[in-house]
Amino acid sequence: MNDIIIAILRSGTPLVYVTLAGVIAQRAGIWNLGLEGLMIIGACATILGIVVTGSVTLALLIAMLFAVLASILLWFVVEKLKANPIIAGLGLTGLGLGGTALAIQSFFGSQSAVNAPFGLPRLGPAFGAYGVLSILVVLMPVVVFALWFVLCRTRFGLQLSACGQHPFAARSVGVNPSTMRLIALSIGGVLAALGGAELAAGSLQFFGQNMTAGRGFMAFAAVIFGAAHPLGATLAAMFFSVLSAIGIRAQLVFGDSVPHDLIQALPYLATVFGLWLSSRLRGGTAGGITELRDD
Amino acid sequence: MTDPHAPALQCQNVSVTYGPVTALNAVSTTFGAGLIHAVVGQNGAGKTTFARVASGLVAPTAGHVAIGSRIMRGGNVAQARAAGVELVHQSFALPPSFTVAEAMEFGATGTGRFFTRRSLFARWRPHLESLDISVDLGARIRDLPVESQQGIEIARALVTQAKVLILDEPTAVLSPSGIEKLFERVRRLKAQGVTVLLILHKIREVLAVADTVTVLRAGRLVDGPLMTTDVDGARLSRLIIGEASRGFAAADEQALTGAGTVEHTSTVGEAATATPVLKLSNITTFVDQEGPALQDVDFHVRPGEIVGVAGVEGNGQRTLVRLIADFARASRGEVHLAGQNISTQSLAQRRSKGLRIIPFERNTEGLSLTSSLWENWTARALLEKPLLRLVNPARLRSECDAALKAWGVRYDNVAQKAGALSGGNAQKVILSREIDPDAKLIIAAQPTRGLDIGATAFVWDALRKARDRGCGIILISSDLDELFDISDRVVVMLAGRVAGTFTAPYDINAVGAAMIGVS
C-alpha cells in the first residue's frame, strides 16, 4: 500500500504544481497552453543548474528565473503584441521542448539525456518508506493552501478573477488587467518551474528530451476539470495521477491479457472523459468571456 | 454640508477622439455640488464618453477634467476614485460568478485585504442595508434579476465615500416602477450630500428627478447646465433634436425624446379576422442558452399588425426570436407561419415562406462587418436558391446599389466593408435586405437601439410602411415609448411567459406592473 501512495505522490506532485500555474493564469484570463513548455524549461534548468553550480538552491532559482522569463515572454506576446493566447501558449510549448533539447546539445554535445550527481533533498530515513519523497512533495499542500488563500480569500484574488471574467469591471475599479496578468503569469512561472524540478530531480536525477510527455497538457486539462479553482484543480490533477498509478499496477497484474498501450493511455482517456464531464456539469459555458466593447 | 455653489466636477475644453471619430468636441461645463444633474442627448451625442472621461476610464484627447479643485491626470480610474468619483455602467460591470459580497469587496480600497466568507458578509451587510438593498450576500451576480444587479452596482460604486456618482443610462433596463425606486435612491443620496450625474435620454425622467439639465448633441455641448425649473419639455426636445433636422409627427417626437405620454390610435380594422401570419400555440421550450425557456406561450400576429413585445430584458424575448428562427426547439406546442405548421422546418424553409428577421445584434447577427455591402445585401436572395447556382456578381452589385440608394443608405460604393458604416446606415442595410415584397412576418428585435433620432424615426416609418402593405410585425423593444407609439397591440413577457396583452390607449402603469409581475 505504501508504495502505491508513494507512486501517486511522486507522479502527482509535479502535475499539481504545474496545474496551479495554469489555475492562476486561467483566473487572470489567459488560457495558458504553454504549461508544457514552462514545465520542461523548469526540469531542464534544474538539472543543468545542479550540474553547473553544484547547488540545489541555485539550480531551483535558475529554473524559476528561466520559467518566469518565458512567462513574461508569453505575456508580452499576448498583451503587447495582441497575439491569440492559445497560439502563443502552444508556441511557448514548442519553444520549451525545442529550446531545452538545444540547450543540452550545446552543453553536452549529442547526448539526449543528462544525469545529475544528486537531486532535490529527500525526507530521509526518519520517515521510513516515505523518506524517498522530496521536500517539494511535502511543500505541495502548503503551496496549494497558500494559493487558495491568495485567490479566494484576498481582495487581490478577487481582482485577479475580475480581470479574467470581466476585464472591463476590473478597469472600472482602477485595476489594470494587463498588469494583473503579468503578475499571474510570473507566479505561474515559479510554480511551473517547481513542477519541472520535481519531475526531473524529485525522484529521478536526470533530464531527458521530451521528458514531460504531455504532463503540461494534462495539467491544463486539470485546470478546466477543476473549474480553475485551486482546490478543485488540485483534486483533478491528483485524480489523474491515481489513474496513472492504477494503470501501472494493472499492467503488472493483467500483463498480457490487456494491451500495454491501452493501459498507458488510461490517464489520457480519463482526461478526455473528465473534460467532457466538467463541461456537462457546467452546461458547456467553459468559454472565456472576452473583454466587453467600450460602446 | 457641501456648499451648493462649489463646483463638484468641471470639464475644460474636453475633446475625445476614437480614431477618425470625434466623440466629444471641446466640451466645457461645470456641475455644482450637492445637486442631481441630468446629461441628455440622442444616441451618439457623446453621453457615455462624457461619463467615462469624467470617471477616468477614458483619457481626453484634449482638455482636462477637474474634481473639486483638483485637475485629474485623465485616463486614471484609481485617481478619479480617490478623488471621489464613481461610475455606474449602463451594462453593469460586475463579474458574473462573484457573490454579492465579493462584488462589493473587489472594488473596495483601504484596509482589510484578507477575509473569510463570514467576515465578508459582516463587512458588507450594513453597507447594503444602509442603501436599502435587500439581497442574499451569497447570491451570485449572474443569478440576480437586472434590477437587483443595478442596485448592487450602485452599492459597489458607493463602497468608497463617493462625492460624485455618475450613472450611465440607469433607466434603460428598468421597469417603470424600478425607475421610480432608482429616483428615490438618487434623491436620498442627494440628501446625504452626494452630487449625482444621471445620463438620461428621456425628457420625462429628466424633469422628474434632476435639478439641472445639460444637453449634448453630436459631441458638442448645446446648452447647460440649465435649472430644470427654467425649461419645459418642448424646449428640451428642440435642444436635443436640433433645429436643422426634419419635422416629426407630434406623437413620434414625444416618443423619440420621452417628453410626454404617447397616444397611439390603432389602425387595425378588417385585418382582425384574417388568418394570423404567425401563431404560437401553447409553446414550451427547452432551457435556452440566451434566456429563460418559454412556458405555455400563446401568441399570434395578424397581417397588417405591429405587435410590440415589452418586458425587462432577459425575460424570454431572445428565446422567442430563437424559437421562431429555429435556433431553439419547442418541447411542446406548434409554430404556424401563414397558416402552415412550420415547427419542424429549417430556418431556410421558414425564410422562403416569408419570415424576415432584424436581429438583436446588428454587428454580429445582422451583418458580416468584414464582408462588402453587396455580399451582405444579397445574402437573403442567394440563400433561398440552390447553393451551386451560378451568380452574376456584376448584376448583384448593381441591384444592391439601386436598393441601397432607394433606402437612403449613405455609403461610398457597394464593395466597401459593412463595418465602415455608422449604426444607422448599417441598420438601413439590414432593413433593405429584410423588408422585401415577399416578407410576410418581420421580427424587429431592438431595431432602434443605439440609433440617433433621425435613424430611429426612419426605422419606424419603414416598419409602418411594411405593416400597411400587409406584413405582420413583431417589435421587441425595451423602450416603452417606442412600443406605445407604433404598436397596434403590446404583449408583456415575464420569465418566459406572456404576462399580459394590452391595446391602445396604453396605460404605462398597467404595462409596467405586468413587466414585474404585480397585478
Side-chain angles (χ1 to χ4, degrees):
Chain A
M1 194 58 204
N2 276 345
D3 53 341
I4 195 163
I5 292 174
I6 288 168
I8 290 168
L9 286 174
R10 275 182 163 172
S11 71
T13 302
L15 199 58
V16 168
Y17 279 111
V18 180
T19 300
L20 294 178
V23 165
I24 191 166
Q26 190 77 4
R27 288 220 159 206
I30 290 184
W31 291 59
N32 192 349
L33 285 167
L35 292 176
E36 177 89 3
L38 293 173
M39 187 183 195
I40 201 156
I41 288 171
C44 180
T46 304
I47 294 298
L48 289 189
I50 291 173
V51 170
V52 173
T53 66
S55 152
V56 170
T57 315
L58 280 179
L60 282 178
L61 287 175
I62 291 168
M64 289 178 192
L65 176 71
F66 276 96
V68 169
L69 286 178
S71 295
I72 293 174
L73 176 68
L74 177 64
W75 172 82
F76 182 78
V77 171
V78 170
E79 287 289 325
K80 295 294 163 189
L81 305 182
K82 304 287 174 202
N84 178 322
I86 301 209
I87 307 295
L90 288 173
L92 178 58
T93 289
L95 177 70
L97 294 173
T100 51
L102 181 68
I104 55 171
Q105 288 203 353
S106 59
F107 270 83
F108 302 100
S110 59
Q111 274 175 272
S112 65
V114 181
N115 287 300
F118 51 89
L120 297 174
R122 312 292 151 100
L123 294 180
F127 292 86
Y130 294 94
V132 296
L133 295 174
S134 85
I135 49 164
L136 283 183
V137 177
V138 184
L139 198 63
M140 185 257 284
V142 181
V143 173
V144 170
F145 176 80
L147 196 72
W148 168 79
F149 185 80
V150 169
L151 291 180
C152 302
R153 288 293 178 266
T154 67
R155 194 179 295 155
F156 169 80
L158 289 178
Q159 290 176 347
L160 195 78
S161 299
C163 291
Q165 274 187 39
H166 200 325
F168 185 68
R171 281 209 288 136
S172 49
V173 297
V175 173
N176 184 341
S178 186
T179 310
M180 291 296 263
R181 287 179 187 141
L182 176 61
I183 296 169
L185 284 177
S186 300
I187 296 173
V190 171
L191 293 167
L194 290 177
E198 169 64 19
L199 178 74
S203 49
L204 312 165
Q205 297 173 21
F206 93 104
F207 173 80
Q209 280 186 30
N210 294 332
M211 79 180 296
T212 45
R215 284 184 180 81
F217 291 106
M218 211 188 274
F220 186 77
V223 173
I224 303 298
F225 194 13
H229 191 279
L231 303 184
T234 299
L235 285 180
M238 289 312 291
F239 171 68
F240 293 153
S241 306
V242 168
L243 281 178
S244 83
I246 290 174
I248 293 167
R249 278 292 148 126
Q251 215 168 310
L252 296 175
V253 175
F254 297 115
D256 311 324
S257 53
V258 179
H260 159 88
D261 294 334
L262 185 67
I263 289 172
Q264 283 204 321
L266 201 62
Y268 302 92
L269 290 174
T271 307
V272 174
F273 175 75
L275 286 179
W276 171 78
L277 191 70
S278 66
S279 86
R280 288 289 300 204
L281 292 176
R282 283 197 291 277
T285 54
I289 296 168
T290 49
E291 180 145 8
L292 297 184
R293 289 181 54 138
D294 277 357
D295 46 12
Chain B
M1 287 305 290
T2 0
D3 172 9
H5 302 292
L9 178 76
Q10 278 180 292
C11 295
Q12 280 291 327
N13 265 316
V14 170
S15 294
V16 176
T17 54
Y18 297 118
V21 182
T22 302
L24 278 184
N25 195 343
V27 171
S28 296
T29 180
T30 302
F31 297 101
L35 296 174
I36 300 175
H37 303 278
V39 177
V40 294
Q42 314 181 22
N43 286 311
K47 302 185 302 269
T48 292
T49 304
F50 170 79
R52 290 183 177 183
V53 169
S55 62
L57 206 53
V58 167
T61 324
H64 65 259
V65 173
I67 296 159
S69 51
R70 280 177 64 193
I71 293 176
M72 294 288 113
R73 193 136 41 90
N76 187 323
V77 179
Q79 193 195 22
R81 291 188 75 208
V85 178
E86 293 283 352
L87 171 62
V88 173
H89 295 280
Q90 183 176 6
S91 50
F92 316 126
L94 297 170
S97 83
F98 280 21
T99 64
V100 171
E102 286 171 343
M104 295 295 116
E105 177 69 24
F106 98 103
T109 52
T111 54
R113 294 172 174 279
F114 313 125
F115 51 83
T116 62
R117 197 166 294 190
R118 187 176 300 173
S119 77
L120 207 56
F121 283 16
R123 194 178 297 170
W124 296 115
R125 186 169 287 121
H127 176 67
L128 289 167
E129 276 169 3
S130 75
L131 291 167
D132 203 18
I133 297 170
S134 55
V135 63
D136 173 13
L137 277 91
R140 300 208 177 271
I141 298 296
R142 61 167 173 254
D143 299 330
L144 294 174
V146 63
E147 307 194 349
S148 307
Q149 283 190 33
Q150 185 175 50
I152 306 297
E153 171 92 24
I154 292 173
R156 204 280 303 148
L158 294 172
V159 296
T160 54
Q161 287 299 313
K163 295 195 195 74
V164 179
L165 181 68
I166 307 172
L167 297 107
D168 186 7
E169 304 227 6
T171 57
V173 293
L174 298 180
S175 65
S177 69
I179 292 172
E180 213 22 72
K181 280 203 200 92
L182 172 76
F183 287 173
E184 263 317 302
R185 187 163 283 157
V186 165
R187 290 189 194 102
R188 273 210 302 279
L189 288 172
K190 176 191 171 186
Q192 290 161 19
V194 179
T195 308
V196 182
L197 258 74
L198 289 165
I199 312 286
L200 294 172
H201 73 222
K202 296 223 181 271
I203 291 172
R204 186 178 348 101
E205 293 167 1
V206 172
L207 297 178
V209 71
D211 298 313
T212 82
V213 57
T214 302
V215 182
L216 295 176
R217 191 170 66 227
R220 290 179 180 278
L221 179 74
V222 178
D223 211 341
L226 304 165
M227 297 306 288
T228 46
T229 46
D230 299 342
V231 291
D232 57 11
R235 179 165 168 219
L236 265 183
S237 176
R238 272 199 310 282
L239 289 174
I240 292 170
I241 296 179
E243 308 287 349
S245 63
R246 67 191 176 89
F248 299 105
D252 279 359
E253 181 166 331
Q254 295 219 313
L256 286 165
T257 58
T261 322
V262 179
E263 289 293 335
H264 173 89
T265 40
S266 176
T267 59
V268 179
E270 76 288 322
T273 52
T275 313
V277 65
L278 175 81
K279 188 165 161 47
L280 305 182
S281 34
N282 201 19
I283 288 276
T284 296
T285 64
F286 296 106
V287 176
D288 192 79
Q289 66 205 42
E290 289 194 7
L294 300 181
Q295 289 185 18
D296 308 321
V297 169
D298 275 304
F299 183 83
H300 68 270
V301 182
R302 294 184 196 285
E305 182 185 41
I306 297 179
V307 178
V309 176
V312 176
E313 275 181 52
N315 275 287
Q317 296 97 323
R318 281 174 193 258
T319 318
L320 179 71
V321 176
R322 288 167 59 80
L323 171 84
I324 300 171
D326 190 37
F327 288 118
R329 278 289 159 124
S331 57
R332 200 176 43 174
E334 287 180 353
V335 184
H336 291 260
L337 188 66
Q340 277 183 298
N341 184 355
I342 56 157
S343 305
T344 57
Q345 292 190 356
S346 69
L347 175 58
Q349 288 170 304
R350 294 176 189 201
R351 287 190 65 102
S352 71
K353 292 192 167 58
L355 171 63
R356 299 288 182 266
I357 299 169
I358 299 159
F360 281 102
E361 308 293 339
R362 76 177 145 262
N363 292 333
T364 52
E365 301 169 347
L367 291 173
S368 162
L369 295 185
T370 52
S371 305
S372 67
L373 292 180
W374 74 269
E375 286 167 318
N376 271 294
W377 183 82
T378 50
R380 167 182 47 89
L382 285 186
L383 291 180
E384 285 172 11
K385 309 224 167 82
L387 285 177
L388 290 178
R389 192 171 163 279
L390 294 175
V391 296
N392 179 349
R395 211 186 73 214
L396 292 176
R397 277 196 287 269
S398 68
E399 279 176 15
C400 172
D401 200 39
L404 295 187
K405 283 212 168 71
W407 280 82
V409 183
R410 285 202 303 273
Y411 62 101
D412 294 331
N413 60 72
V414 292
Q416 80 184 93
K417 302 265 181 272
L421 297 186
S422 71
N425 274 311
Q427 191 69 312
K428 282 181 190 173
V429 174
I430 299 177
L431 293 175
S432 74
R433 184 183 69 203
E434 299 295 313
I435 303 182
D436 65 312
D438 296 330
K440 288 202 179 65
L441 173 69
I442 298 168
I443 301 175
Q446 301 279 16
T448 61
R449 172 178 284 178
L451 301 188
D452 65 25
I453 280 175
T456 299
F458 184 93
V459 172
W460 291 351
D461 283 344
L463 292 177
R464 284 187 180 121
K465 278 183 195 141
R467 184 251 326 261
D468 295 344
R469 248 190 6 244
C471 287
I473 294 170
I474 300 176
L475 171 67
I476 298 170
S477 176
S478 47
D479 183 344
L480 288 180
D481 288 321
E482 171 175 66
L483 288 172
F484 292 173
D485 185 32
I486 72 168
S487 308
D488 302 308
R489 190 153 58 85
V490 169
V491 301
V492 175
M493 292 197 69
L494 177 65
R497 293 172 185 274
V498 172
T501 304
F502 300 86
T503 49
Y506 300 108
D507 175 356
I508 191 165
N509 294 321
V511 174
M515 284 167 69
I516 55 167
V518 180
S519 51

